[in-house]
Amino acid sequence: MKKIALIFTILISITEAKEVKLTPEQSRNWHIETKKPVVSDSLVVGKFMAEVVTPPQLLQTVSLPFEAQIKKIYVANFDNVKRREPLAEVTGRDWIELQKRFISDAIELKHHKSVADRKDRLCQEEIIPRKECISANAEYRADRIKVSASKALLRGYGADEKMIRELFENLKISQTLKVHSDVDGKVVELNARSGKSLSPSEALFVIQKDGALWLEVNILAKKASTLRDGERVKIEFNSKNFLSKLLLHAPVIDSKNQTQKVRFSLPKGEKFITGMRDIAKISTLEKSLKVPKRAVVSYDGESILFIKTDGGYSPTVVEILGEDRDSFYLRDTPNLHKEIAITSTAILKGLMEEGDE
């Protein structure tokens, strides 16, 4: 009987402004608890499956411009390698022929240099006509151009400056050529083995250079549209929390599930591995108010919560910006920095609706 009287007293105290009038004793009887919203420096966008991928610019393919046979392998798959470190030793008919051509050009160059030097001395002493010196120097310059072109070809085949210099000085063909790494990194693909013959189009190794990886996430297109290219975000992934930058939205949306691929940067110092998959919690760096989900109720198509007043609880419309499993993140407004009801909100909503009637 007392409970019915209490409900009646509460109902007749609801004002036209929908404020629910309650005394402290009545709040205790309805087990209404209150707390202030928590100010959050970030806004949760959601949790999504994410994968670590390697930027293509970090992948270095090692191949040869000629048909070759592998004589030796110096590294194994997934080994760390340094720049200029030898990876393999190869041989090939084209490699031998190129050295022969270079040696022939080098011999011609040395011969014509000697002739040009000798004729220059004779011209200075006016023993021979000047035109013979001009002709000899022209041949020497032509040979220098041919040798420079041959050197460029040798470099293109993988010969280093030391090998080219020794070939020029000693005129001795090397049967094999060492293939070196051009970068510091890790061998992630190894297609070479001793004795294997390779065509010019085949890759011997793929080396992943040291550098920051990417995190790619499939996000519902509606949520992805709230993120901006270049925006800084907070990410929780693989038990690590870090700041990231949104690098790119994919220009297409998956028609089956209406998701859009979004790419984020990963900090270089963290231990992430290509192919790693896990749930990523993504938050924007936007100030918001965090409240328990049970504090918010739906009324007339609006989301409302009940702010504690001197005489009871005042329903207030709020804008939900995001959510996680237990909480809503609301747009921060000054009037929300007060005690709000976090329990028995369904009862307060019922009392408010009764007051409307």
Side-chain angles (χ1 to χ4, degrees):
M1 193 70 177
K2 288 183 178 180
K3 188 173 182 179
I4 294 173
L6 176 61
I7 295 174
F8 179 78
T9 303
I10 293 172
L11 290 177
I12 62 175
S13 66
I14 299 176
T15 68
E16 292 182 356
K18 301 181 184 178
E19 182 174 5
V20 180
K21 297 292 186 179
L22 288 178
T23 66
E25 182 181 358
Q26 290 169 337
S27 293
R28 287 192 297 271
N29 289 337
W30 287 112
H31 304 291
I32 299 174
E33 298 177 15
T34 63
K35 68 178 296 185
K36 285 187 176 183
V38 177
V39 177
S40 174
D41 60 357
S42 61
L43 173 63
V44 175
V45 177
K47 294 183 178 180
F48 314 94
M49 181 58 69
E51 181 177 359
V52 178
V53 299
T54 302
Q57 51 266 48
L58 290 185
L59 296 176
Q60 177 85 17
T61 300
V62 179
S63 60
L64 296 169
F66 60 93
E67 290 187 5
Q69 184 182 36
I70 299 173
K71 307 298 287 185
K72 290 181 182 179
I73 299 290
Y74 294 109
V75 296
N77 213 7
F78 310 126
D79 277 355
N80 288 312
V81 294
K82 295 293 185 182
R83 185 171 180 266
R84 295 182 180 147
E85 180 179 338
L87 304 174
E89 196 170 321
V90 302
T91 189
R93 182 187 303 172
D94 290 345
W95 165 243
I96 303 298
E97 291 298 323
L98 180 59
Q99 292 179 89
K100 287 181 180 179
R101 193 187 322 161
F102 177 76
I103 288 174
S104 176
D105 291 342
I107 292 172
E108 285 291 314
L109 175 66
K110 291 178 179 181
H111 169 67
H112 286 126
K113 183 178 186 304
S114 175
V115 170
D117 289 346
R118 180 169 54 83
K119 288 190 174 183
D120 279 342
R121 289 194 297 271
L122 293 174
C123 285
Q124 288 175 4
E125 296 173 7
E126 298 183 349
I127 297 175
I128 60 174
R130 184 66 185 167
K131 64 180 181 181
E132 291 194 29
C133 293
I134 294 172
S135 176
N137 279 287
E139 287 184 315
Y140 173 55
R141 285 195 298 271
D143 285 339
R144 286 179 61 186
I145 293 171
K146 287 174 64 177
V147 168
S148 294
S150 293
K151 284 183 178 180
L153 277 174
L154 286 168
R155 293 189 194 99
Y157 272 42
D160 57 25
E161 295 301 324
K162 180 182 178 182
M163 176 178 284
I164 294 172
R165 185 171 60 254
E166 289 178 351
L167 184 60
F168 182 81
E169 293 172 356
N170 303 327
L171 305 177
K172 183 179 178 181
I173 290 175
S174 173
Q175 294 296 321
T176 60
L177 170 68
K178 284 187 178 180
V179 180
H180 296 82
S181 173
D182 292 331
V183 296
D184 295 340
K186 188 186 299 290
V187 177
V188 292
E189 284 187 36
L190 191 153
N191 301 317
R193 65 176 185 274
S194 294
K196 182 179 180 180
S197 294
L198 294 170
S199 66
S201 60
E202 290 185 83
L204 281 75
F205 308 92
V206 176
I207 298 174
Q208 181 177 316
K209 295 188 287 186
D210 298 333
L213 303 176
W214 290 340
L215 187 69
E216 292 192 343
V217 188
N218 290 322
I219 300 178
L220 286 172
K222 187 176 180 180
K223 289 194 173 184
S225 65
T226 65
L227 300 170
R228 304 182 306 277
D229 288 351
E231 181 177 6
R232 304 292 293 180
V233 297
K234 285 173 60 177
I235 297 180
E236 182 181 326
F237 176 77
N238 194 40
S239 303
K240 296 181 177 66
N241 292 280
F242 52 89
L243 287 175
S244 177
K245 182 180 179 181
L246 197 157
L247 301 175
L248 156 70
H249 288 80
V252 294
I253 294 174
D254 190 323
S255 60
K256 295 179 181 178
N257 54 24
Q258 290 299 293
T259 60
Q260 187 175 20
K261 191 175 289 295
V262 181
R263 181 179 298 157
F264 298 94
S265 64
L266 284 174
K268 185 177 178 180
E270 296 288 354
K271 298 294 183 182
F272 295 111
I273 301 174
T274 299
M276 181 183 290
R277 288 172 60 86
D278 201 353
I279 297 295
K281 181 181 178 181
I282 300 172
S283 306
T284 60
L285 302 182
E286 182 178 349
K287 187 178 177 183
S288 60
L289 295 178
K290 181 179 179 181
V291 300
K293 282 189 172 179
R294 62 180 183 271
V296 180
V297 296
S298 180
Y299 179 74
D300 254 359
E302 302 281 0
S303 297
I304 65 171
L305 51 72
F306 293 92
I307 297 177
K308 190 174 184 346
T309 63
D310 292 337
Y313 296 89
S314 175
T316 303
V317 175
V318 294
E319 181 183 354
I320 297 175
L321 300 176
E323 65 180 285
D324 55 24
R325 187 180 65 179
D326 302 315
S327 305
F328 283 127
Y329 293 80
L330 312 179
R331 186 171 300 283
D332 186 9
T333 57
N335 64 318
L336 295 181
H337 290 251
K338 300 175 183 177
E339 295 281 335
I340 63 169
I342 60 170
T343 60
S344 303
T345 50
I347 294 174
L348 291 173
K349 177 186 175 183
L351 294 174
M352 182 184 67
E353 290 173 338
E354 290 291 336
D356 286 345
E357 294 175 1

